[in-house]
Amino acid sequence: MDIKRRIVELRQSEKFGQFVRFALNGCLSSAVHYAIYYLLLFVTTANAAYITGYLVSFVGNYLLTNYFTFRTRPSWRHFIGFCGSHAVNFGLHVVLFNLLLALGVHRLLVPLFVMGFSVIVQFSILRFVFVKKNS
């Protein structure tokens, strides 16, 4: 199969579209998370600021994941799956966040590394939750 045709097929696939929308949603949610983290660093600990930013961005992320990323409607199944995936993701975030802090990475850079690393794990889990088995 020629490469140009394969690239066109990839760009037209729903999975590719979902990943692009996931990335946009993730960028917005991460920006909200980081902005809250940065502002709260002036009044609280790095861990408290990071956790608060994560929780605040969670709500908007859930709605965007439904309506924008996977083009579904909110449901209890989606909500429970989203919470479960974020529990795994949150655990990953906290462990990596504290590991990188302990390794001496600057506290303003740590969230960027953590968010970047967890993107693929989160997409894989959420795609499983939001997309029907026959997709």
Side-chain angles (χ1 to χ4, degrees):
M1 176 181 288
D2 107 302
I3 292 184
K4 286 183 182 180
R5 192 167 84 201
R6 181 65 185 130
I7 291 172
V8 169
E9 287 175 3
L10 175 65
R11 289 182 61 206
Q12 292 174 346
S13 75
E14 180 57 19
K15 192 181 229 181
F16 180 77
Q18 287 171 349
F19 188 78
V20 169
R21 292 187 302 271
F22 174 81
L24 292 172
N25 178 8
C27 287
L28 178 60
S29 297
S30 295
V32 168
H33 181 184
Y34 189 82
I36 292 168
Y37 167 77
Y38 181 80
L39 292 172
L40 290 179
L41 275 177
F42 296 104
V43 296
T44 190
T45 66
N47 270 296
Y50 193 79
I51 291 168
T52 302
Y54 188 95
L55 294 174
V56 171
S57 71
F58 177 87
V59 175
N61 191 345
Y62 173 69
L63 294 173
L64 285 172
T65 296
N66 271 284
Y67 291 115
F68 178 65
T69 302
F70 296 109
R71 297 180 176 162
T72 59
R73 304 191 84 178
S75 68
W76 282 110
R77 179 183 167 276
H78 290 163
F79 182 72
I80 291 168
F82 189 80
C83 289
S85 76
H86 272 271
V88 170
N89 193 43
F90 182 72
L92 179 64
H93 272 246
V94 170
V95 168
L96 288 174
F97 182 81
N98 284 291
L99 176 65
L100 292 172
L101 281 178
L103 291 173
V105 177
H106 193 279
R107 68 184 189 162
L108 291 178
L109 296 177
V110 170
L112 302 175
F113 290 120
V114 172
M115 290 174 193
F117 180 78
S118 64
V119 166
I120 293 175
V121 172
Q122 189 67 358
F123 177 74
S124 300
I125 294 170
L126 288 175
R127 188 168 197 297
F128 177 78
V129 170
F130 284 87
V131 177
K132 291 184 174 137
K133 297 282 186 209
N134 59 3
S135 294

